[in-house]
Amino acid sequence: DIQMTQSPSSLSTSVGDRVTITCRASQSISTSLNWYQQKPGKAPKLLIYGASTLQSGVPSQFSGSGSGTDFTLTISSLQPEDFATYYCQQSYSTPPTFGQGTKLEIK
Amino acid sequence: QVQLVQSGAEVKKPGASVKVSCRASGYTFTNYAMHWARQAPGQGLEWMAWINTGSSNTYYLQNFQGRVTLTRDTSASTAYMELTSLRSEDTAVYYCARQVNYRGPLDIWGQGTMVTVSS
């Protein structure tokens, strides 16, 4: 199985900050990397797929990049509604696997 | 609109079984695979299994082999996940999610079903 490692596991940040979350795969997954946002008590929401394509309706402050084994999710200017937990997920091979999550907290 | 609606919360005793349903609407059910994942309290997401809703072929994570069964009813546009021999560690929110295409993301998620296993 492909292991997905996210860092950091948590981050204390402020509104307006630029935030970068990284995700590393244990083997090459091309660009089959997806990012999800999850708020407490809610289902995950797809933000970015194919490493860099923004899902319809997702604000443009979110962006993704990377290929192979190293990927990043960037939030250019944190908004209050962006404080949540973010997960990467590889869909390159079965079983699909998730990173352990990155929780963004208000500083 | 496109949505997945799951069945309600369940409380089960250790050793029992639970069957969670996931009703799809707003799209052609058999055109998309359905995945199941779970999230224990305060923990991350754990993928469990998927079903090809057209052919009914399934794939189960080895951790759940022999305990989980996925089925679907195409006439009702509904997918089901049954988990047997429940133990306290199975206490979690269970999600169904639609996969867009081969190697694609999970773009639509159900609201989640809380399953509590307690004596």
Side-chain angles (χ1 to χ4, degrees):
Chain A
D1 299 358
I2 298 175
Q3 307 304 313
M4 306 301 294
T5 304
Q6 275 181 248
S7 61
S9 55
S10 65
L11 190 56
S12 185
T13 60
S14 301
V15 172
D17 283 355
R18 180 183 179 88
V19 169
T20 298
I21 300 169
T22 65
C23 181
R24 176 165 289 176
S26 60
Q27 64 189 74
S28 178
I29 58 171
S30 184
T31 57
S32 298
L33 189 283
N34 312 300
W35 290 98
Y36 302 86
Q37 176 194 65
Q38 187 180 33
K39 296 183 178 179
K42 299 295 186 182
K45 171 189 172 184
L46 176 65
L47 294 178
I48 288 171
Y49 62 94
S52 60
T53 302
L54 208 61
Q55 173 71 342
S56 174
V58 173
S60 59
Q61 73 250 31
F62 292 93
S63 63
S65 65
S67 67
T69 61
D70 293 312
F71 302 87
T72 60
L73 171 69
T74 299
I75 310 172
S76 59
S77 178
L78 267 176
Q79 301 303 301
E81 61 270 23
D82 300 334
F83 289 92
T85 300
Y86 294 83
Y87 294 93
C88 63
Q89 177 238 346
Q90 68 82 15
S91 52
Y92 182 79
S93 69
T94 303
T97 42
F98 291 92
Q100 78 276 22
T102 296
K103 185 175 183 179
L104 298 188
E105 298 172 310
I106 301 174
K107 187 182 290 184
Chain B
Q1 74 279 25
V2 176
Q3 62 178 349
L4 300 174
V5 178
Q6 298 183 222
S7 48
E10 303 263 13
V11 179
K12 297 292 183 180
K13 294 195 182 300
S17 300
V18 68
K19 191 170 186 176
V20 178
S21 67
C22 172
R23 179 172 50 86
S25 61
Y27 71 95
T28 302
F29 178 68
T30 51
N31 284 357
Y32 297 81
M34 194 72 77
H35 292 240
W36 292 83
R38 72 180 186 179
Q39 187 170 38
Q43 302 301 307
L45 295 162
E46 179 182 27
W47 184 86
M48 298 177 65
W50 74 274
I51 183 167
N52 180 319
T53 51
S55 68
S56 78
N57 287 345
T58 54
Y59 181 99
Y60 304 122
L61 189 65
Q62 190 162 10
N63 288 0
F64 298 100
Q65 285 278 357
R67 286 209 304 140
V68 67
T69 303
L70 300 189
T71 55
R72 93 291 191 236
D73 179 347
T74 57
S75 66
S77 297
T78 301
Y80 302 91
M81 187 281 298
E82 183 173 26
L83 188 61
T84 62
S85 302
L86 290 168
R87 36 215 191 217
S88 59
E89 311 88 91
D90 295 318
T91 293
V93 177
Y94 289 77
Y95 292 103
C96 60
R98 183 184 84 163
Q99 184 178 20
V100 175
N101 50 32
Y102 176 64
R103 286 184 172 165
L106 305 175
D107 70 331
I108 303 295
W109 292 66
Q111 83 276 19
T113 296
M114 181 71 211
V115 175
T116 303
V117 183
S118 173
S119 55

